[in-house]
Amino acid sequence: MLIDRRKATMLIGGIAGTLVTGRASAANKEILIGGSVPLSGPGAAIGITAQRTFQHAVELINAEGIEVGGDRYTLKANFYDNKYVPAEAVTVVEKLLADGTRFLFSLGSGNSVPVVAKTTAAKCLQMSMASGKSHLTSPEFPLSFRVQPTNETAWAVYPWLKTARPNVKKIGHMNPSDEAGFTESDDRTMIAEKNGFTNIAKEFFKRGSTDFYPVATRLVAANPDLIDLGGTIGRDQALGCKALRELGYKGEIMLGYSDARSFIEVAGASAAEGTILFDTLAEPQNQKQKDLVDWWIKTYGPPFPSFACTVWDAPFVLAEAIRKAQSADPVQIAKVMTGMEWDGLFGKSRFGMKSVYGIDTTITRPIPMAVVKGGKPVQLDIVPWPANV
Amino acid sequence: MNATMLMQTIASGLVMGLIYMLIALGVTLLFGIMRVVNFVHGELVMLSAFAVYFMTTAAGLPFFVALALAAVASSVVAVFCQYALFSPLQYDILNCFIVGIGASFAIRSASWAIFGPEPIAIASTLPGVLNIGGVFIAKQRLLAAVLCAGLAILLAVFLRYTRHGKAMRAVEQDREAALLMGVNPTSVYVTAFVISAVLAAVGGAMLGTLFGVDPEMGAEPILKSFIIVQIGGMGSLLGTVIAGLFIGLTDSITGTLLGGELAFIFDFSILMLILIVRPRGLFGYDA
């Protein structure tokens, strides 16, 4: 059978194309990461910040690629809205696991704790930005990593308070009445006590409340030297702080996690003045942080949400662990990540806290401390992670 | 709880009660006249707050000018909803309820996309705190309370003494008889939606100065409004005023005595009790 020149050219081209494509697909492999974050609702601000930051980190990682046994791997992160509702988070994660995703980035304690048994059973490596204790971090869950210091920040912050605020003796606590809030409250009161402080009030509110006067009235009546809003995020902490000040509270207020500038805007400059901000980066302290700030401002405009800094390390640590493990298997990667050290955005960082949780899967790193001064956050100190924890 | 703390709790509760009452008045007005349970009302609260925020920050307008313009914008959206959503459904209570919920979610989702997730707040028009014998009241809260109470009185006067107000009451009492007496129901419906939207705008602006502005901010007030309206009696303005103040006070007292988490439990318990014992509410009538 004769074929004309045009058909022959197409045939050769097609074969060549198939060969090239086939070769490329053999060499380029993709690791899917599922993101379960709040993209709407009261936690949306941090969820969207997390998504944007994580995706940017993935872009940088992919530009270089991850070499594993001669193959070039890239990461692909797909984010889904858990609305900061545990039931939604469970649905999101069940769908991800059913679709074969074996790496999960989860934001929020209430969203991370209910899925950890499922991810562990499915041998899915879970990186949570969440408050948690043994229900999220324990030898029972060897693939569960906590990539943001949350309730654990108290281990660094309370010893610092003893010297930075020597007049503070009595502590009051205000937290949301949910998984994160109870965990934060338990840990912070325990750590405060270990450091010689007296806990005189422990109050809870419904996350997303508008009127904080009732809970603030109770706290003000107890007259603590410092009120720790440790487990609060976003608008809640601004409204909590505002209510405390409007009810005449003159003592110290301490909070963290959220974007300082949004906090100041919603609370009002006068109410926010003097507030101690833990794990808050007011000014970039090194080139890595400066690059991140510059990218954000260039891409999304000011203000830069300091929460982005807490997200940054997670995808890089995962990429590094894949390289070290020379495997895309979550179990092998988790073994490498356990106890792993790296030079992170905040300096020397490590998955540790075996002394507390029985397994080295919780991030430990320096904690930046800031204070609201003249209506804006000012860096106070960078507190090193305590050696004994 | 000592006397100062009790007074503080009562003062805080009355302020919140007045704000919720104002928002709930808009809900009950529409139900009374059209039997429409308007779920979009909460989104009007939110959109108005955003409008005031942008007009005061981006355009630099004075607060009350921005509020007046936001009330106009809110009215336009409300009347649009009336013609686009509720009128085609012939104000059928169940259909309007379902469509209202859908529209509410759609507006809220669109707001997330348009306005973004960062919490913002309308700058306080009256900064500072009053200390009256150990009872602290933020001046902004006091302003909100006075404004809400004033508007509620104005609404009562409008409905009782003006020709248009009387026409609205006539339609509320007997639509057919009102028609026979020459009342134009379309005009009454538009007026009701506009008044309701203005109340939502003022409530939204007040909430925005006190608690910040975000796409979810209408959710709690609308839920409280329905509790208030149900307790007071659907369509009863007096019932709404009394139930609004009652819910504000009980929220504050239960929140302070037992913790904020229990306030909602208490609200819903009262609601369930009322629905069982007196289904039409304290001051309602059989629909």
Side-chain angles (χ1 to χ4, degrees), chain A residues 23-24 26-29 66-73 326-327:
Chain A
R23 203 171 154 189
N28 285 334
K29 294 183 176 174
I66 306 167
E67 294 293 331
V68 176
D71 289 337
R72 183 178 183 276
Y73 278 79
Q326 279 297 294
S327 167

Side-chain angles (χ1 to χ4, degrees), chain A residues 103 123-126 141-145 317-318 320-322 324-341 351 359-361:
Chain A
F103 295 89
K123 299 201 185 317
C124 168
L125 191 150
Q126 178 173 337
F141 308 121
L143 278 76
S144 170
F145 291 81
V317 171
L318 176 65
E320 189 54 28
I322 296 169
K324 284 185 177 169
Q326 279 297 294
S327 167
D329 175 10
V331 176
Q332 299 306 317
I333 295 165
K335 281 180 185 165
V336 171
M337 274 173 72
T338 306
M340 189 171 132
E341 291 183 11
F351 281 118
I359 188 165
D360 280 333
T361 51

Side-chain angles (χ1 to χ4, degrees), chain B residues 15-275:
Chain B
V15 171
M16 286 312 297
L18 284 166
I19 297 175
Y20 287 139
M21 170 209 72
L22 190 75
I23 296 169
L25 278 175
V27 173
T28 207
L29 188 70
L30 289 187
F31 182 81
I33 292 169
M34 277 165 277
R35 303 291 183 267
V36 165
V37 180
N38 183 16
F39 240 92
V40 182
H41 198 67
E43 308 322 316
L44 292 180
V45 168
M46 176 267 291
L47 290 173
S48 304
F50 270 110
V52 172
Y53 173 79
F54 286 116
M55 281 190 274
T56 50
T57 53
L61 294 177
F63 175 80
F64 285 103
V65 175
L67 175 55
L69 292 173
V72 172
S74 174
S75 303
V76 170
V77 176
V79 173
F80 172 78
C81 287
Q82 180 202 349
Y83 279 106
L85 301 178
F86 303 128
S87 180
L89 298 171
Q90 297 179 322
Y91 305 105
D92 176 79
I93 187 165
L94 184 62
N95 288 343
C96 288
F97 179 73
I98 293 165
V99 164
I101 290 177
S104 166
F105 278 109
I107 293 170
R108 208 179 299 172
S109 301
S111 301
W112 278 111
I114 295 165
F115 302 125
E118 295 298 331
I120 49 177
I122 301 167
S124 177
T125 48
L126 210 55
V129 178
L130 289 176
N131 180 351
I132 307 165
V135 175
F136 293 87
I137 304 175
K139 290 177 186 171
Q140 186 68 41
R141 284 191 175 228
L142 208 57
L143 173 69
V146 170
L147 208 57
C148 290
L151 272 175
I153 292 167
L154 263 180
L155 178 65
V157 169
F158 171 81
L159 290 174
R160 193 165 187 82
Y161 297 109
T162 68
R163 188 180 167 80
H164 217 79
K166 285 175 184 170
M168 289 173 80
R169 284 167 53 213
V171 172
E172 181 192 356
Q173 284 162 16
D174 192 330
R175 187 175 178 276
E176 304 305 320
L179 269 171
L180 291 171
M181 298 302 290
V183 172
N184 178 0
T186 309
S187 159
V188 166
Y189 289 0
V190 170
T191 309
F193 266 99
V194 168
I195 292 173
S196 164
V198 170
L199 299 179
V202 175
M206 291 299 110
L207 288 173
T209 53
L210 297 177
F211 306 124
V213 181
D214 71 72
E216 298 288 324
M217 68 176 287
E220 188 176 330
I222 196 69
L223 188 59
K224 292 273 185 197
S225 292
F226 282 119
I227 295 172
I228 289 165
V229 168
Q230 200 65 50
I231 291 174
M234 275 278 189
S236 164
L237 296 185
L238 176 66
T240 302
V241 171
I242 291 170
L245 294 175
F246 175 74
I247 287 294
L249 279 172
T250 53
D251 274 9
S252 186
I253 292 168
T254 51
T256 308
L257 279 178
L258 308 168
E261 181 66 8
L262 291 172
F264 255 108
I265 298 173
F266 192 78
D267 289 351
F268 280 110
S269 304
I270 295 282
L271 178 63
M272 284 187 282
L273 190 70
I274 294 281
L275 285 175

Side-chain angles (χ1 to χ4, degrees), chain A residues 276-328:
Chain A
I276 301 167
L277 308 167
F278 65 80
D279 207 17
T280 298
L281 194 70
E283 301 294 336
Q285 305 290 309
N286 57 41
Q287 192 55 43
K288 276 186 194 174
Q289 292 170 356
K290 194 174 178 315
D291 289 346
L292 179 58
V293 174
D294 289 347
W295 162 77
W296 184 283
I297 301 289
K298 195 176 157 192
T299 312
Y300 300 108
F304 169 73
S306 57
F307 185 75
C309 296
T310 61
V311 180
W312 188 247
D313 277 2
F316 289 100
V317 171
L318 176 65
E320 189 54 28
I322 296 169
R323 283 190 196 101
K324 284 185 177 169
Q326 279 297 294
S327 167

Side-chain angles (χ1 to χ4, degrees), chain A residues 136-175:
Chain A
L136 187 58
T137 305
S138 85
E140 271 181 71
F141 308 121
L143 278 76
S144 170
F145 291 81
R146 307 250 308 287
V147 293
Q148 177 195 11
T150 49
N151 38 315
E152 292 81 13
T153 52
W155 289 103
V157 170
Y158 274 100
W160 173 84
L161 266 179
K162 278 203 294 192
T163 50
R165 296 285 189 276
N167 293 332
V168 171
K169 307 286 180 205
K170 297 175 292 175
I171 310 282
H173 299 266
M174 186 201 280
N175 285 293

Side-chain angles (χ1 to χ4, degrees), chain A residues 106-389:
Chain A
S106 173
L107 179 52
S109 180
N111 311 315
S112 303
V113 172
V115 299
V116 72
K118 291 177 191 291
T119 56
T120 304
K123 299 201 185 317
C124 168
L125 191 150
Q126 178 173 337
M127 295 180 288
S128 307
M129 295 188 73
S131 306
K133 294 196 291 188
S134 56
H135 49 213
L136 187 58
T137 305
S138 85
E140 271 181 71
F141 308 121
L143 278 76
S144 170
F145 291 81
R146 307 250 308 287
V147 293
Q148 177 195 11
T150 49
N151 38 315
E152 292 81 13
T153 52
W155 289 103
V157 170
Y158 274 100
W160 173 84
L161 266 179
K162 278 203 294 192
T163 50
R165 296 285 189 276
N167 293 332
V168 171
K169 307 286 180 205
K170 297 175 292 175
I171 310 282
H173 299 266
M174 186 201 280
N175 285 293
S177 56
D178 59 16
E179 184 66 47
F182 294 133
T183 299
E184 290 274 359
S185 182
D186 287 352
D187 260 23
R188 287 175 179 278
T189 48
M190 179 264 289
I191 296 163
E193 206 171 295
K194 272 183 190 290
N195 282 279
F197 297 99
T198 308
N199 298 298
I200 58 166
K202 204 170 156 180
E203 298 296 337
F204 296 95
F205 63 90
K206 186 175 178 293
R207 197 185 285 277
S209 298
T210 44
D211 189 16
F212 280 76
Y213 266 39
V215 68
T217 302
R218 285 163 67 95
L219 274 166
V220 172
N223 196 25
D225 300 323
L226 180 142
I227 297 175
D228 183 353
L229 278 71
T232 58
I233 57 164
R235 195 185 66 147
D236 288 351
Q237 53 188 205
L239 296 182
C241 175
K242 188 179 178 184
L244 288 167
R245 292 301 184 209
E246 285 179 357
L247 291 172
Y249 178 65
K250 304 279 185 214
E252 303 270 7
I253 295 174
M254 182 171 77
L255 48 91
Y257 303 137
S258 297
D259 176 49
R261 285 173 181 84
S262 290
F263 159 70
I264 295 163
E265 179 171 354
V266 177
S270 61
E273 190 70 9
T275 304
I276 301 167
L277 308 167
F278 65 80
D279 207 17
T280 298
L281 194 70
E283 301 294 336
Q285 305 290 309
N286 57 41
Q287 192 55 43
K288 276 186 194 174
Q289 292 170 356
K290 194 174 178 315
D291 289 346
L292 179 58
V293 174
D294 289 347
W295 162 77
W296 184 283
I297 301 289
K298 195 176 157 192
T299 312
Y300 300 108
F304 169 73
S306 57
F307 185 75
C309 296
T310 61
V311 180
W312 188 247
D313 277 2
F316 289 100
V317 171
L318 176 65
E320 189 54 28
I322 296 169
R323 283 190 196 101
K324 284 185 177 169
Q326 279 297 294
S327 167
D329 175 10
V331 176
Q332 299 306 317
I333 295 165
K335 281 180 185 165
V336 171
M337 274 173 72
T338 306
M340 189 171 132
E341 291 183 11
W342 70 94
D343 192 16
L345 197 71
F346 292 93
K348 289 287 176 203
S349 310
R350 175 177 179 269
F351 281 118
M353 301 206 73
K354 190 174 182 176
S355 60
V356 177
Y357 299 121
I359 188 165
D360 280 333
T361 51
T362 302
I363 188 172
T364 61
R365 61 159 168 77
I367 304 295
M369 301 295 296
V371 68
V372 180
K373 202 172 176 183
K376 58 179 187 180
V378 175
Q379 206 73 58
L380 267 183
D381 209 346
I382 306 290
V383 182
W385 193 260
N388 57 340
V389 182

